[in-house]
Amino acid sequence: MGDTAATRETVVNGVVLALRYSALRGLADRREIRDILYIDGADCIRDGAVDLQVVWDLLAELPEFDPDAAAAPMFVVKSWEPHFGVDVRLPAHLQGATERDIAIAATSSAVPRHEVARALEPPEARARRRSTLLQFEADAPAPVLPDRAPTWRERREVLWAAVAVFLAAAGFVAFTLLRASGGGWQGIDAGAIDVGIPLAGAQRLGTQVSATLADTAWLQADEATRREQMEAALRAVDAVGADSFVLRDAS
């Protein structure tokens, strides 16, 4: 059958696991349960088979033991016979059980499959898996570290290279912004935005038009007139490709 999981350790693992997912989970939670089963259950493997009578007798000595509740976890361990690779003999108290009783207990068990596989893993397979993991870690390439610290000259060269990259990026951004703005403020004909506001002149930067007020008396005009003329000025600058209009007092 290849590797066999039928060792005292895996028998104890299986029994404790089956108990943990049964009505006798309190037994599995006892801190000393593994020691009791492992030390006093040295004869749990007899004549090439797992003998659950040994386990039963040890559990029966504990105050939490209930023979009726113990039947299900014993049947579950019996159903794991293929994992152990050897026969699993039920205790005398359960000798009258049928295959149907065992199958019902196994299918009703809530023990997760991955926990069964881990608990009953053959020692040889576990050793090979651990050896493989250790070998994998040993074969992993070590990080390559510099054999010496960089000199001041080398660090300075790296620093200047970083500064050069920064200045080049900053220059490119500035050039892009200047190009988008049309090369700085440019004077434009104030007549293009003649909407009744007395203007001394106007200039443009990108999409913004700034005009200088020629007569501050305009500021004393009624609010409705000033608002109407400012809206007209916005429409006028929009017609020449600008999207904002700023009016400044020459004083």
Side-chain angles (χ1 to χ4, degrees), residues 155-173:
R155 290 197 297 267
R156 184 177 59 185
E157 290 175 353
V158 172
L159 177 63
W160 279 117
V163 171
V165 171
F166 171 77
L167 292 177
F172 176 77
V173 171

Side-chain angles (χ1 to χ4, degrees), residues 21-251:
Y21 287 89
S22 74
L24 294 179
R25 63 180 60 90
L27 282 175
D29 292 338
R30 289 178 65 113
R31 296 179 59 183
E32 71 277 16
I33 188 65
R34 287 184 177 275
D35 291 338
I36 293 173
L37 293 176
Y38 190 83
I39 297 173
D40 297 334
D43 296 333
C44 63
I45 300 178
R46 294 176 177 174
D47 303 325
V50 175
D51 188 353
L52 293 181
Q53 183 64 55
V54 176
V55 174
W56 182 278
D57 293 341
L58 291 172
L59 294 177
E61 297 176 1
L62 302 175
E64 301 95 334
F65 183 75
D66 179 348
D68 293 332
M74 293 296 106
F75 291 154
V76 169
V77 175
K78 170 67 174 177
S79 73
W80 293 338
E81 212 167 45
H83 290 278
F84 289 111
V86 297
D87 292 338
V88 176
R89 299 169 184 165
L90 289 171
H93 185 79
L94 303 175
Q95 286 299 327
T98 64
E99 292 293 332
R100 184 172 182 275
D101 296 328
I102 297 171
I104 291 175
T107 55
S108 302
S109 173
V111 183
R113 292 183 179 180
H114 71 276
E115 290 194 33
V116 176
R118 183 173 57 191
L120 305 184
E121 183 179 24
E124 296 85 351
R126 186 185 306 121
R128 285 198 299 268
R129 177 168 55 81
R130 290 176 178 173
S131 176
T132 301
L133 290 175
L134 290 174
Q135 186 61 42
F136 176 77
E137 292 176 356
D139 292 342
V144 178
L145 300 176
D147 55 359
R148 61 177 178 81
T151 64
W152 164 244
R153 181 177 181 180
E154 291 170 336
R155 290 197 297 267
R156 184 177 59 185
E157 290 175 353
V158 172
L159 177 63
W160 279 117
V163 171
V165 171
F166 171 77
L167 292 177
F172 176 77
V173 171
F175 172 76
T176 302
L177 293 175
L178 184 62
R179 184 177 181 182
S181 68
W185 287 103
Q186 297 178 341
I188 62 174
D189 182 9
I193 47 177
D194 183 8
V195 293
I197 302 175
L199 300 178
Q203 55 185 353
R204 175 176 177 173
L205 177 64
T207 59
Q208 177 181 331
V209 171
S210 174
T212 303
L213 191 62
D215 186 356
T216 57
W218 179 84
L219 297 174
Q220 306 303 318
D222 65 278
E223 183 178 354
T225 298
R226 287 186 284 120
R227 180 184 302 109
E228 181 180 347
Q229 290 177 338
M230 286 295 292
E231 291 175 353
L234 284 173
R235 290 193 294 270
V237 298
D238 181 68
V240 296
D243 57 16
S244 62
F245 176 69
V246 177
L247 184 61
R248 293 186 295 187
D249 182 357
S251 61

